[in-house]
Amino acid sequence: MLSLILPTYNEASNLPELIDEIEEAMYGVPFEVIVVDDDSLDRTWETAESIGNFVRVIRRVGRRGLSSAVVEGFQAAEGDVLAVMDSDGQHDPCVLPYLYGEVKRGAAVAIGSRYVPGGSVEGFAKPRHFMSRVATILAWLVTPMRVQDPMSGFFAIDRNVFQSCASALRPRGFKILLEILAHLPRYSHIVEVPLEFRKRRSGESKLDASVQRAYLFQVSRLFFQKRQGFLFGLSVLVIAVVLLFKIWTIRLLYLDHSTQSRVSTAVIVASDEHEWLLSGISITSLTNEYVTLQYRSYQRGKDSHECAIVHLLTLEIIPCSSS
Amino acid sequence: MFFILKHKRFVGIVLALEVLAVVLAILQWHVGVRTDEAKYLLNIPYPHPPFGRWILHLLEAFPYQEIFWRIIFATLLMQAVWLVWDIGHSLSRTHRIILSGVWILSAAVLLQAGTIMMAPLTALHGLLFLLLLSRSRRLKSPVEYPGLIALLWLAALFSAYQAVLFVPLVWVLIRRSSRRLKSPVTQCAYVFVPIVLLGLYTLSNPLALHSMFLQAGKDIAETPMERLLATLRVWAIGGSIITSVLGTAGMCMSLLRRIRRLQSPVNDDIDAIAIAGSFFLVAMFTFLARHDYYAILWTPLFIAGLAALLQTRRANENGAIFGMLFLMFHLVFLLFLPFSLQESPARETMRVIQERQNGLPWRAGTGVILIAGAFGHEWQYESSLRVRRYSPDSDLSEVATVICLLSCPELASRAWQRLPNTSVEVWVQRLTGR
């Protein structure tokens, strides 16, 4: 059975016509509709309750957000295939049977996609198209594969797949599909079905600057969540390589006690000879016969460097430039 | 930050804290740079690992490097009160205000705010770990970013060795990320690989190793009782004694509760073990290295202990009065601690030298300063000229000034004159015409 979630906020005027279209499109397919309403001012929940036996209503008081409404609807659903679509008439219900069929045939997620061959967008101005493409490219940083429409609000998911990632989801903002895709295993079977995205029938769009900010934050959060182990591992590797190289350079200090005491003496001799401060001296190379010392004056803004090579047995000091 | 901007009524408090931070920074600036501060500002490669001091030294060429970082450090300590506010999330409003007031008014925080030392930075790391523990417990959610916590842990360790004292807190945090990080081997790697890297760093820097041995051998003659009394002093400063007592009591109470619930601990109890573990490590560390500036390492733990204690107490109508008296005690305690606002000898001496050089354009900004006797790095920092060690055999031909922290009678000759009105001996070459 398909459980279709319709998250609503002030969609009372769009809902009855939409439900009729859904009923017609899903003829012969077992389904239920769950309207999840965020306590609309136009009492959308009342309109939904009056519609039909196959419509259940969840009225959320004191809770807002599209993503959380979808997750709550999924959790209340009884079907083995869960789907969601917009309630403003922009998504064509005729695509629903195709999404349902793909999931029944083994897809983890089937997406109604505006950007695959056969799909289209009606009424998008060029700037919005551009923003949509940029957002899609950003989403590829966090999705297991290059989905063409990761921001689609029209998709179906296998119930078991949803339950496997439900506890990891952080349903904030508008893009629940992105959140789900980011938590799917790498080689999940994802199918995109062409969708002709229609103009909104009535009411106002909820896409504004705060939604765009929330999206950027969501992508950043998912990016760091997925790559935190890699970043840690890379940092550790780089630091370890640098340190091991330095330790290798001065290994004789630790392997040979007599070298240790000779180097100590050499440092003091060089320090006395050149009036160096001990804290400014570092060892740049060490062999059985010679130690190369580098001195930094640590003068604010005008650091100077000096270098000397000291013979460990004779304690003869020669400048590095003459070696 | 978003929380503060969203709730505009907190903006006034943020600004007031900032004013306090700037005042404390200016007080410290007046005293002058300490030897440890100079090491960090100049990125001198001991005693601590390089990360923190590398960031500080990036502004070395900036003339206002010192005051800039003093204000930043003071700001971090003062604004950290919002972390404390969040730790006290489950307390009543009165108790939350008391807890936050304790952080701002504790002697350790007030004395350290505005210094450029690693101890306050480590304390802030500890406070952050405590906050993350508190949030994961409160929200009943596993930790989502173990990798980022491990990176923060790595940064903390590579800024100061003493960060290792908070390993119990980090261990519990990483273990609580078991949904993201299923393998116990990976969890152990996140916690212990940074410590191993710290060990490698120490081996790669013989100077750091040498300074550790020097420090360890320094107070070897002190008796255990002397060490214990010094440790108690530092413990008392950490929480202005009253919060030290209550914070410690709160920690013990939480630990006893954990022991009673041996078979079925809850998250609260596991946190109690971690906090007690860090408490023990900080105590051991203070026993070995009893500097007053380590008092601030105790303060985050006292905050956690006090929060645990306040959770068992209901706020009543007298709570606000008791709270005010409690916080005032912290200020009174501060009056009993020695704090000098006298300018350091290094700053005073270099200022006098610079004033003299300013009147002599043919000598200004050239030459070398030699210093006789053992001296700290603050002399290098305060000097605009190169600083070297003086010995009686030194070649004085390029030398502008000799500073004698031990007496240099051999310089009393026609070529050199001693500057008056300096707290140490300062010899400059006599002017013999231009």
Side-chain angles (χ1 to χ4, degrees), chain B residues 5-25:
Chain B
L5 292 175
K6 212 170 132 186
H7 297 82
K8 292 188 173 60
R9 65 184 186 275
F10 290 120
V11 171
I13 303 173
V14 169
L15 289 174
L17 288 172
E18 196 49 37
V19 167
L20 179 58
V22 170
V23 166
L24 292 170

Side-chain angles (χ1 to χ4, degrees), chain B residues 12-30 66-82 103-105 109-116 124:
Chain B
I13 303 173
V14 169
L15 289 174
L17 288 172
E18 196 49 37
V19 167
L20 179 58
V22 170
V23 166
L24 292 170
I26 289 172
L27 283 174
Q28 296 287 354
W29 177 60
H30 176 73
E66 183 203 338
I67 186 64
F68 175 80
W69 284 118
R70 288 197 186 286
I71 292 173
I72 295 293
F73 272 58
T75 299
L76 287 174
L77 275 183
M78 288 295 114
Q79 300 296 349
V81 75
W82 300 108
W103 173 261
I104 298 169
L105 297 177
V109 170
L110 286 175
L111 289 175
Q112 285 296 302
T115 64
I116 309 172
L124 286 173

Side-chain angles (χ1 to χ4, degrees), chain B residues 85 104 263 308 363:
Chain B
W85 181 260
I104 298 169
Q263 294 304 317
R363 217 38 186 146

Side-chain angles (χ1 to χ4, degrees), chain B residues 372-390:
Chain B
F375 61 92
H377 296 285
E378 70 274 25
W379 293 89
Q380 275 177 284
Y381 188 81
E382 301 283 7
S383 169
S384 57
L385 303 178
R386 271 176 301 148
V387 169
R388 290 196 191 274
R389 290 183 305 118
Y390 170 78

Side-chain angles (χ1 to χ4, degrees), chain B residues 73-267:
Chain B
F73 272 58
T75 299
L76 287 174
L77 275 183
M78 288 295 114
Q79 300 296 349
V81 75
W82 300 108
L83 303 183
V84 176
W85 181 260
D86 201 88
I87 287 172
H89 189 271
S90 55
L91 302 175
S92 68
R93 194 175 181 81
T94 306
H95 284 163
R96 234 173 153 185
I97 292 171
I98 291 171
L99 195 71
S100 305
V102 160
W103 173 261
I104 298 169
L105 297 177
S106 69
V109 170
L110 286 175
L111 289 175
Q112 285 296 302
T115 64
I116 309 172
M117 300 284 280
M118 292 300 143
L121 209 56
T122 306
L124 286 173
H125 284 125
L127 195 66
L128 202 50
F129 294 137
L130 282 168
L131 172 67
L132 291 171
L133 268 180
S134 151
R135 291 193 126 227
S136 76
R137 181 175 72 239
R138 183 196 340 145
L139 299 173
K140 293 185 174 46
S141 66
V143 169
E144 291 292 333
Y145 301 96
L148 294 183
I149 290 172
L151 279 170
L152 175 65
W153 173 229
L154 185 64
L157 285 172
F158 269 74
S159 295
Y161 281 105
Q162 60 248 16
V164 77
L165 303 173
F166 295 115
V167 68
L169 304 180
V170 175
W171 171 250
V172 172
L173 265 176
I174 298 293
R175 290 281 293 158
R176 213 169 268 171
S177 66
S178 53
R179 193 177 64 202
R180 283 236 164 258
L181 214 56
K182 290 185 169 44
S183 157
V185 171
T186 316
Q187 291 172 11
C188 286
Y190 273 23
V191 178
F192 295 110
V193 162
I195 298 177
V196 168
L197 284 183
L198 191 64
L200 287 182
Y201 167 76
T202 311
L203 289 177
S204 75
N205 185 359
L207 189 58
L209 212 49
H210 177 71
S211 79
M212 280 185 202
F213 284 125
L214 268 181
Q215 282 296 317
K218 232 180 179 175
D219 306 314
I220 213 148
E222 276 194 22
T223 65
M225 181 50 75
E226 281 167 343
R227 283 179 180 263
L228 183 63
L229 288 173
T231 305
L232 283 172
R233 174 194 155 85
V234 176
W235 170 85
I237 294 172
S240 298
I241 200 162
I242 193 167
T243 299
S244 312
V245 170
L246 294 177
T248 307
M251 260 183 280
C252 293
M253 189 189 74
S254 298
L255 201 55
L256 279 172
R257 202 165 52 212
R258 166 67 180 94
I259 292 167
R260 278 188 220 123
R261 283 208 279 246
L262 212 58
Q263 294 304 317
S264 50
V266 295
N267 267 352

